[in-house]
């Protein structure tokens, strides 16, 4: 008579840790897709709080509104944007992209 106690658990011993690993990976994936990230959550201090967006009266926002309304052309927009970025300290990387 060959029972489980004598033969050992066999390959089934790997099944349960794999199930638990899949559960943990699933929970982390769902949490990340829902917006939970380090410093960017839905709670206090997170990125999705009301009033955490750009200021409507900031010079960069006003410049964007003027360009969208057609008050200034594209060359004027880029010239003024570069001046404002220098003044407000937005940095660019070695390829000229904003960081």
């Amino acid at each position: 008579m060959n029972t489980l106690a004598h033969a050992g658990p066999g390959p089934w011993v790997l099944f349960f840790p794999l199930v638990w690993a899949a559960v943990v990976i699933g929970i982390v994936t769902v949490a990340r897709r829902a917006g939970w990230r380090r410093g960017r959550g839905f709670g206090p201090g997170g990125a999705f709080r009301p009033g955490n967006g750009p200021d409507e009266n900031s010079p960069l926002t006003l410049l964007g509104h003027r360009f969208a309304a057609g008050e200034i052309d594209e060359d004027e927009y880029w010239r003024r944007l570069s001046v404002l970025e220098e003044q407000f300290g937005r940095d660019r990387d070695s390829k000229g992209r904003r960081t």
Side-chain angles (χ1 to χ4, degrees):
M1 187 154 113
N2 197 3
T3 63
L4 184 62
H6 296 287
W12 291 101
V13 73
L14 296 175
F15 180 70
F16 292 109
L18 290 176
V19 168
W20 281 112
V23 168
V24 169
I25 290 171
I27 290 172
V28 169
T29 301
V30 168
R32 290 194 72 188
R33 287 184 180 259
W36 169 75
R37 287 182 179 86
R38 190 175 299 215
R40 288 180 24 193
F42 290 101
F48 303 109
R49 283 187 9 218
N52 204 15
D55 184 18
E56 286 294 322
N57 294 325
S58 73
L60 293 174
T61 305
L62 293 175
L63 179 64
H65 286 300
R66 289 188 65 196
F67 178 63
E71 295 177 18
I72 57 175
D73 63 349
E74 186 177 1
D75 292 331
E76 182 72 13
Y77 171 77
W78 287 112
R79 187 179 64 77
R80 291 182 183 210
L81 183 64
S82 65
V83 170
L84 288 173
E85 285 177 343
E86 288 175 8
Q87 182 179 0
F88 287 104
R90 280 198 176 172
D91 296 327
R92 292 187 178 262
D93 63 5
S94 62
K95 294 184 179 179
R97 293 178 288 198
R98 280 183 256 156
T99 57

